[in-house]
Amino acid sequence: MSHGIKHVAIIMDGNGRWANQRLRPRVWGHVRGSAVVSDIVQAADDLGVEALTLYAFSTENWSRPSEEVGVLFSLLHKFLLRERRRLLANKVSFRVIGNVSRLPQETKTLIAKLEEETRDFNGLKLTFCFSYGARMEMLHAVNKFIAKNPGKELTEADLEGHLMRPETGNVDLLIRTGGEQRVSNFLLWQIAYAELCFTPTKWPDFTASEFKRIVESVSKRERRFGGLSPTADKNLPRPEVQSIHVQ
Ligand code: IPE
Ligand code: IPE
Ligand code: MG
């Protein structure tokens, strides 16, 4: 792809504040926010992004009132029902990562079915992070490795191979809507060299065109991965560089 951004991760934040600003209960923001998800999935597909990872519910979000948690569960369920045909038609490979054990059985069945149906698709890798926390994911990976390889030293590749969806790899671009500038326990391993973009737009107002603008503008940034820019020191006179002595 010409923009070079293969894996985009999004912290879909700001639903509650969006609703409260309109004198509506927080859950109204979640309802409106869930409608935006399909547009962004489509936009990612249009842009030729290989993987899109969406933060829908964190391990810490369990501390919210049970009514709000219940609405988020039912919105996930409705999303799966509503989007199934489109995901299948677009050959999207769908997975949910996180601890889904506390979801209602019928939602777990829907997830398992959709994951099974889309497993071998080679289109967009769409991942929903639900009841997900990066610390939990990393601990889980380490413990799985230790159980299989007692006494063996863990390498970076071992850890990466035991993450919840290893094939999506490192994140190239992390977007957070809603104005906060923090990562809130999201993909901590995978974002080591991600480009970060924090937009004040609250998730229910986020659009495919803003998403495309962000991808476009971030693709112009120079990523150095700890190395040097090809132009570094290029215009300096050689003798000056050589005469510097390190004490
Ligand atoms: C993001 O919106 C959705 C979830 C965290 C589930 P919030 O519900 O956090 O909305 P704000 O940040 O309070 O506005
Ligand atoms: C992060 O948003 C989690 C999701 C968007 C799912 P939060 O609203 O939970 O994060 P904090 O509490 O502002 O850090
Ligand atoms: Mg929030």
Side-chain angles (χ1 to χ4, degrees), residues 4 19 29 53 63 76 84 96 139 172 194:
T53 304
S63 65
L76 173 65
R84 181 172 166 271
V96 175
L139 276 178
D172 297 302

Side-chain angles (χ1 to χ4, degrees), residues 69-246:
V69 171
V71 168
L72 291 165
F73 281 6
S74 80
L75 287 171
L76 173 65
H77 193 89
K78 285 183 186 143
F79 176 88
L80 299 171
L81 291 175
R82 190 174 70 230
E83 294 298 315
R84 181 172 166 271
R85 271 165 178 274
R86 191 142 64 126
L87 297 179
L88 293 177
N90 291 335
K91 303 282 179 229
V92 171
S93 167
F94 179 78
R95 285 279 303 278
V96 175
I97 63 168
N99 178 5
V100 295
S101 63
R102 287 164 74 184
L103 283 174
Q105 187 51 50
E106 50 176 7
T107 307
K108 286 194 276 192
T109 307
L110 263 186
I111 292 170
K113 187 165 160 249
L114 197 51
E115 286 183 341
E116 180 56 36
E117 286 176 315
T118 66
R119 188 177 305 277
D120 298 325
F121 285 168
N122 54 13
L124 176 73
K125 293 179 182 71
L126 174 64
T127 309
F128 257 54
C129 302
F130 206 94
S131 189
Y132 169 89
R135 289 181 170 182
M136 177 196 75
E137 179 183 35
M138 287 191 276
L139 276 178
H140 186 73
V142 171
N143 285 326
K144 261 201 318 201
F145 175 83
I146 293 172
K148 284 195 279 183
N149 308 279
K152 188 166 171 258
E153 193 174 327
L154 179 74
T155 65
E156 281 197 16
D158 290 329
L159 195 140
E160 276 165 7
H162 288 82
L163 292 173
M164 287 172 167
R165 197 170 186 189
E167 71 273 23
T168 53
N170 289 320
V171 172
D172 297 302
L173 166 61
L174 171 69
I175 300 171
R176 181 173 187 143
T177 63
E180 310 293 1
Q181 302 195 6
R182 51 181 174 253
V183 293
S184 302
N185 200 13
F186 189 41
L187 303 174
L188 298 180
W189 178 274
Q190 299 90 325
I191 63 171
Y193 267 101
E195 293 298 320
L196 307 180
C197 175
F198 300 101
T199 168
T201 307
K202 295 181 180 65
W203 179 253
D205 283 335
F206 195 61
T207 57
S209 61
E210 181 170 0
F211 178 69
K212 289 178 181 172
R213 274 202 308 277
I214 291 172
V215 171
E216 166 90 354
S217 95
V218 168
S219 68
K220 296 194 183 107
R221 295 186 194 168
E222 184 186 43
R223 299 180 73 191
R224 292 191 289 277
F225 300 97
L228 293 181
S229 163
T231 58
D233 278 5
K234 221 176 163 187
N235 300 319
L236 289 181
R238 296 298 300 158
E240 195 183 315
V241 178
Q242 283 158 6
S243 66
I244 295 172
H245 295 284
V246 180

Side-chain angles (χ1 to χ4, degrees), residues 12-18 26 30 55-58 61 64 68 72 176 178 180 202-203:
M12 307 184 290
D13 194 29
N15 293 348
R17 281 166 289 155
W18 183 91
R26 293 177 50 80
H30 296 317
Y55 205 8
F57 188 86
S58 73
N61 289 148
R64 297 191 179 192
E68 182 169 340
L72 291 165
R176 181 173 187 143
E180 310 293 1
K202 295 181 180 65
W203 179 253

